[in-house]
């Protein structure tokens, strides 16, 4: 796309624009949104205002609205690399992954030196299950900026999913060295160390993640799961309970507690726990794990029909 941007009519209501910008800088994002919408009501083809409204909507977690405004800004001619990159972020947040990837591709075609966009592109590819392509995108980002801790952590996640455990450990360690306060990197390192069979280092990494973010439900659930595997059932229960306090209905924590109940002989309690888990938005792997545990619980409780039904759901 190589159209010239249309002249902005923002001069028609400079006060609303400037007030919106001041509100954004002051952190008053809802007020900025109201002012920008008033401006756009008078100037619907103001590309600069449309882009700004998209950024504001994104900050308000209104991903679909953000994608609309940012896409509209590009449509009328404000096509530059950063605008496509922002559009990609909004589209990914809205779950529109192929469109997000297309936006990122356009952005890096215009500016192939933008490390952050290669990283965002990698995240979109990973979410689409295109792991090899995601790895390439993260590697390109690192070539351009080797000091971004989040990109190294993102690469670690893809490498772990590809089964390259030693390489994943290396990427996570680079991330934590670059930024020791990145909880997600310590959590990822814990997952990698657990896969490598180094449970002591895995526990230490999960604990570090939780120290940095006491409400990190994923890390709490991961530590609970590892404790259950090590038969440290009291510790597993404690961590799973914390995860459920932070994130009510946390599926991983509920699964851990159900396993603990089975091992304690409380089969019905485990069945009741898993009956509350909403599997609609779970990964295929976690859905299978929940179904398999339900089947084991029903079997131990003497309910062969329930066990068979649960196993069927898992398949």
């Amino acid at each position: 796309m190589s159209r010239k941007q249309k002249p902005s009519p923002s001069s028609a209501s400079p006060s609303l624009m400037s007030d919106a910008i001041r509100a954004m800088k002051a952190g008053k994002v809802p007020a900025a949104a109201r002012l920008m919408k008033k401006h756009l009501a008078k100037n619907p083809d103001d590309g600069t205002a449309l882009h700004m409204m998209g950024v504001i909507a994104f900050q308000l977690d209104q991903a679909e609205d953000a994608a609309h405004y940012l896409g509209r800004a590009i449509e009328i001619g404000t096509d530059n690399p950063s605008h496509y990159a922002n559009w990609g972020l909004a589209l990914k947040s809205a779950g529109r992954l192929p469109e997000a990837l297309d936006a990122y591709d356009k952005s890096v075609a215009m500016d192939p030196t933008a490390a952050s966009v290669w990283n965002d592109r990698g995240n979109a590819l990973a979410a689409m299950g295109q792991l090899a392509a995601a790895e390439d995108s993260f590697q390109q980002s690192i070539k351009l900026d080797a000091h971004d801790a989040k990109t190294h952590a993102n690469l670690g996640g893809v490498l772990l999913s590809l089964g390259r455990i030693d390489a994943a450990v290396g990427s996570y360690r680079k991330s934590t060295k670059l930024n020791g306060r990145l909880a997600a990197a310590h959590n990822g390192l814990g997952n990698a160390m657990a896969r490598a069979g180094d449970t002591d280092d895995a526990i230490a990494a999960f604990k570090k993640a939780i120290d940095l973010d006491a409400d990190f439900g994923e890390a709490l659930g991961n530590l609970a799961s590892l404790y259950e595997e090590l038969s440290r059932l009291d510790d597993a229960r404690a961590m799973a309970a914390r995860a459920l306090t932070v994130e009510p209905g946390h599926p991983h924590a509920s699964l851990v507690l159900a396993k603990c109940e089975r091992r304690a002989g409380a089969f019905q309690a485990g069945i009741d726990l898993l009956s509350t888990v909403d599997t609609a938005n779970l990964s295929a792997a976690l859905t299978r794990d929940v179904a398999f545990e339900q089947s084991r619980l029903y079997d131990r409780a003497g309910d062969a029909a329930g066990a068979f039904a649960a196993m069927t759901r898992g398949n």
Side-chain angles (χ1 to χ4, degrees), residues 86-110:
N86 288 341
W87 194 26
L89 285 171
L91 289 165
K92 181 177 181 295
S93 293
R96 295 159 59 180
L97 296 174
E99 294 170 86
L101 180 60
D102 184 63
Y104 290 134
D105 284 344
K106 287 184 169 67
S107 180
V108 295
M110 293 178 180

Side-chain angles (χ1 to χ4, degrees), residues 98-314:
E99 294 170 86
L101 180 60
D102 184 63
Y104 290 134
D105 284 344
K106 287 184 169 67
S107 180
V108 295
M110 293 178 180
D111 180 10
T113 67
S116 64
V117 184
W118 284 105
N119 175 63
D120 293 337
R121 180 178 181 273
N123 285 329
L125 286 162
M128 295 170 71
Q130 299 182 27
L131 300 181
E135 179 190 356
D136 289 344
S137 201
F138 289 136
Q139 293 285 16
Q140 181 61 30
S141 179
I142 289 168
K143 285 181 183 178
L144 294 164
D145 179 5
H147 303 291
D148 190 285
K150 290 183 179 180
T151 306
H152 284 285
N154 291 337
L155 176 60
V158 165
L159 293 170
L160 189 60
S161 294
L162 289 169
R164 291 157 57 188
I165 297 172
D166 289 344
V169 169
S171 287
Y172 282 125
R173 288 204 184 282
K174 285 180 184 177
S175 178
T176 59
K177 185 175 181 180
L178 287 165
N179 182 357
R181 300 196 61 78
L182 189 61
H186 289 284
N187 179 59
L189 178 60
N191 285 327
M193 298 309 298
R195 289 274 297 274
D198 190 340
T199 56
D200 288 341
D201 279 357
I203 289 170
F206 288 138
K207 285 184 173 180
K208 180 63 175 179
I210 295 164
D211 286 343
L212 291 167
D213 182 356
D215 293 336
F216 194 171
E218 183 180 343
L220 289 164
N222 287 336
L223 182 53
S225 182
L226 183 55
Y227 279 147
E228 187 274 330
E229 290 175 14
L230 296 171
S231 296
R232 293 173 56 175
L233 300 188
D234 288 343
D235 290 331
R237 288 179 183 275
M239 286 298 108
R242 280 185 62 182
L244 287 167
T245 299
V246 172
E247 297 180 24
H250 191 294
H252 200 175
S254 296
L255 177 59
V256 170
L257 285 177
K259 288 181 178 180
C260 290
E261 296 292 6
R262 171 175 51 78
R263 295 178 69 168
F267 307 128
Q268 189 59 51
I271 291 169
D272 292 343
L273 268 168
L274 292 185
S275 70
T276 66
V277 174
D278 182 4
T279 59
N281 297 313
L282 299 185
S283 68
L286 187 51
T287 298
R288 284 194 299 270
D289 288 346
V290 169
F292 180 65
E293 183 58 32
Q294 285 177 316
S295 181
R296 294 180 75 180
L297 285 160
Y298 278 116
D299 180 65
R300 297 292 181 85
D303 185 346
F308 179 77
M311 185 59 71
T312 301
R313 287 194 297 274

